[in-house]
Amino acid sequence: MSNLSQSVLEYQRSPLYRLAASPYPEWSLSAICAASLPAAARSAPAMPHLGVMMGFSAVFAGSGYMKYMNDAENGSGTTTSWCLLYLFLNLKRTVQQPKPMPSLLLAGVMTNLVISGRKTIEYQFGV
């Protein structure tokens, strides 16, 4: 008899579980952050500062590398925490001034939060 709940077993059979072990969502978000650097450099409305975007791009690339090296749990945890930090810092500004690039960044962050956040919750709490 297995100790895992039915929801965990269903999650482990889902495409989301396989996607959470892949580095490509984080690398895609890192590329979006890097592509937004010119807009951040010219202080476009609702965009974070240039240094902030460089930092987020590097962190998301690093968490993708963790997954690439078969450490999906820590890669997902890093992605989850930094996605939450991005939302804490930038959600209000992006919602108040909807522009294409900040909205694209927000969509990427939310997508990665769903993908990696579910993996982190499953790993940490077994839910």
Side-chain angles (χ1 to χ4, degrees):
M1 195 75 153
S2 175
N3 286 350
L4 297 176
S5 69
Q6 185 64 27
S7 66
V8 171
L9 291 173
E10 288 174 12
Y11 170 65
Q12 290 178 347
R13 291 185 207 115
S14 73
L16 187 61
Y17 184 78
R18 289 187 297 279
L19 190 58
S22 167
Y24 297 115
E26 284 81 1
W27 287 344
S28 299
L29 183 55
S30 176
I32 292 170
C33 289
S36 72
L37 290 177
R42 67 174 186 273
S43 298
M47 282 297 296
H49 297 286
L50 176 65
V52 171
M53 291 312 302
M54 289 171 59
F56 276 110
S57 181
V59 167
F60 291 132
S63 63
Y65 182 72
M66 286 181 212
K67 288 184 174 185
Y68 178 74
M69 296 303 291
N70 296 320
D71 191 4
E73 290 80 15
N74 285 324
S76 292
T78 303
T79 300
T80 300
S81 62
W82 283 87
C83 283
L84 289 170
L85 180 63
Y86 182 91
L87 290 176
F88 177 74
L89 295 174
N90 300 301
L91 180 63
K92 182 178 178 183
R93 179 180 11 189
T94 302
V95 171
Q96 287 178 344
Q97 301 177 3
K99 302 289 182 197
M101 185 55 83
S103 297
L104 177 65
L105 284 163
L106 183 63
V109 166
M110 295 288 280
T111 302
N112 272 276
L113 182 60
V114 167
I115 293 169
S116 294
R118 178 63 174 108
K119 174 83 172 169
T120 301
I121 290 171
E122 183 263 334
Y123 177 71
Q124 293 294 328
F125 304 110
V127 178

